[in-house]
Structures are given as structure tokens and as C-alpha cells.
Amino acid sequence: MRAQQVQGLEGPTGLHLVEVDEPEDSARVVIEVVAAGVSFPDLLLTRGEYQMKHPSRSCPESRGRSGSLRSRGLGVQRRRPGDGLHHARRFC
């Protein structure tokens, strides 16, 4: 699967779309993102200027995302793969 990660602290040019392994943790859900918002804190994150320091190779995450559930974790009962979702918290 692909993820957009901050790989360098030079602003938006430090963002890279990379291939990552799909989570094998059976408790996690995987969401196929179709649209994602970007905000001023995300820009600060890409420069290393955000008030909270994130680990290297983190994902910008402050705005909502829309997409569909790709796979569900154990204990997820109310949603099924293919269901549309909007998520406003970190899930990257």
C-alpha cells in the first residue's frame, strides 16, 4: 500500500509517496483514502516547526480524510469492507 510521509524537513517538498507494508496487526483497520485535507499545522510539521515533534517518516494528519474501509480489525462489528468513511483523527 502507499502512504504519504514526511521524509525531510524542507517543507512540502519533504513529502514523499512511498510503498509501505500493509499492517498485519489484526486489531487495526485499513482505510483506502480518496481525499485528505491539509492544514497550516501540517505545513509546520513538514518543516519541523510544529509545537509537538513527530517521529521521522510521519504522516500529515490534522484534517479529515474520506475513503472506504479496506479491511477491518478484530472486534469491528458495525462496518464492513467497502463501507464509506470519513475520519477526522490520526490513522496513518
Side-chain angles (χ1 to χ4, degrees):
M1 68 191 257
R2 296 181 303 169
Q4 184 135 26
Q5 294 179 337
V6 177
Q7 293 192 338
L9 299 178
E10 58 265 356
T13 58
L15 286 170
H16 296 275
L17 191 59
V18 298
E19 291 289 328
V20 297
D21 293 333
E22 197 149 323
E24 294 181 17
D25 183 351
S26 60
R28 291 184 179 227
V29 297
V30 176
I31 299 171
E32 188 166 336
V33 177
V34 176
V38 177
S39 67
F40 185 65
D42 292 324
L43 176 63
L44 293 175
L45 175 81
T46 66
R47 294 179 179 163
E49 298 172 358
Y50 191 63
Q51 59 196 2
M52 295 170 46
K53 300 302 177 198
H54 290 265
S56 148
R57 305 206 187 299
S58 63
C59 301
E61 87 249 342
S62 68
R63 303 314 273 170
R65 285 143 194 79
S66 296
S68 61
L69 183 66
R70 189 162 161 189
S71 63
R72 63 183 182 176
L74 295 174
V76 177
Q77 303 288 323
R78 298 185 318 166
R79 303 283 184 194
R80 294 194 170 119
D83 284 354
L85 298 172
H86 171 76
H87 193 69
R89 295 185 65 171
R90 181 177 181 197
F91 64 87
C92 201

